[in-house]
């Protein structure tokens, strides 16, 4: 009956193959859509899911009516949660998680360079991973650095991590 209980139950459901998962997520959203902090939690739960298909779902959430790249809390709750709380999908061997993050950092760069610079930090830990992932992460850092009009904040963090 409380939001705390509901979010806990929803957190368990998003990590299962429950056939009603989409319905529960939508019901929760409809009930709490006027509460920004609760919707941030809703985004985070979905971004951190270990279930197959999460990456595609996270990409689709970028188009959700409640998501706004100009809202730092929404960016942290979706992009940040995916890159920092979803090691399975963010660190996929094909590098799609790294490319996704770099795409968002580049998009954020002109909107909010401070948030973009915080988001890029998930790529700067590349030395901790196997050789394949290191290469993929470094490739995205180099792409960010070479982006036209990249902010000083983002450039500094990305370039220093490669030294």
């Amino acid at each position: 009956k409380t939001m705390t209980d509901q979010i806990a139950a929803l957190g368990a459901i998003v990590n299962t193959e429950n056939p009603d998962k989409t319905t529960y997520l939508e019901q929760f959203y409809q009930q709490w859509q006027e509460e920004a902090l609760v919707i941030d939690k809703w985004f985070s739960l979905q971004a951190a899911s270990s279930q197959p298909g999460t990456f595609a779902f996270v990409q689709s959430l970028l188009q959700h009516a409640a998501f706004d790249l100009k809202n730092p809390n929404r960016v942290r709750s979706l992009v940040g949660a995916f890159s920092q709380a979803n090691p399975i999908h963010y660190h996929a061997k094909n590098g799609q998680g790294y490319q996704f993050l770099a795409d968002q950092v580049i998009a954020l760069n002109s909107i909010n360079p401070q948030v973009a610079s915080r988001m890029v930090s998930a790529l700067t830990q590349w030395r901790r991973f196997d050789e394949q992932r290191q290469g993929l992460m470094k490739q995205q850092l180099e792409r960010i650095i070479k982006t036209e009009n990249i902010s000083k904040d983002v450039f500094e963090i990305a370039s220093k991590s490669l030294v």
Side-chain angles (χ1 to χ4, degrees), residues 57-114:
F57 197 69
V58 167
Q59 288 179 302
S60 73
L61 285 172
L62 291 173
Q63 307 307 316
H64 193 278
F67 184 79
D68 183 357
L69 201 59
K70 295 176 184 171
N71 180 327
N73 288 339
R74 288 293 148 86
V75 171
R76 283 189 285 274
S77 68
L78 182 61
V79 179
F82 177 74
S83 63
Q84 296 168 18
N86 195 330
I88 293 170
H89 297 291
Y90 174 64
H91 294 292
K93 283 193 173 212
N94 63 8
Q96 67 186 7
Y98 308 141
Q99 183 177 352
F100 171 79
L101 179 60
D103 290 345
Q104 302 315 307
V105 167
I106 290 167
L108 277 165
N109 180 65
S110 61
I111 298 169
N112 191 331
Q114 291 78 24

Side-chain angles (χ1 to χ4, degrees), residues 62 69 75 79-80 83-84 90 97-124 140-141 143-145 147-151 153-155 157-158:
L62 291 173
L69 201 59
V75 171
V79 179
S83 63
Q84 296 168 18
Y90 174 64
Y98 308 141
Q99 183 177 352
F100 171 79
L101 179 60
D103 290 345
Q104 302 315 307
V105 167
I106 290 167
L108 277 165
N109 180 65
S110 61
I111 298 169
N112 191 331
Q114 291 78 24
V115 173
S117 66
R118 279 185 239 127
M119 291 292 116
V120 79
S121 66
L123 288 167
T124 64
Q140 295 306 318
L141 286 165
R143 181 168 72 102
I144 290 167
I145 290 167
T147 299
E148 191 175 327
N149 298 321
I150 199 73
S151 72
D153 293 339
V154 174
F155 180 84
I157 291 171

Side-chain angles (χ1 to χ4, degrees), residues 19-33:
D20 296 323
K21 177 172 30 181
T22 304
T23 302
Y24 295 139
L25 285 164
E26 183 58 28
Q27 287 173 346
F28 185 90
Y29 176 77
Q30 291 301 321
Q31 180 179 354
W32 298 99
Q33 64 185 318

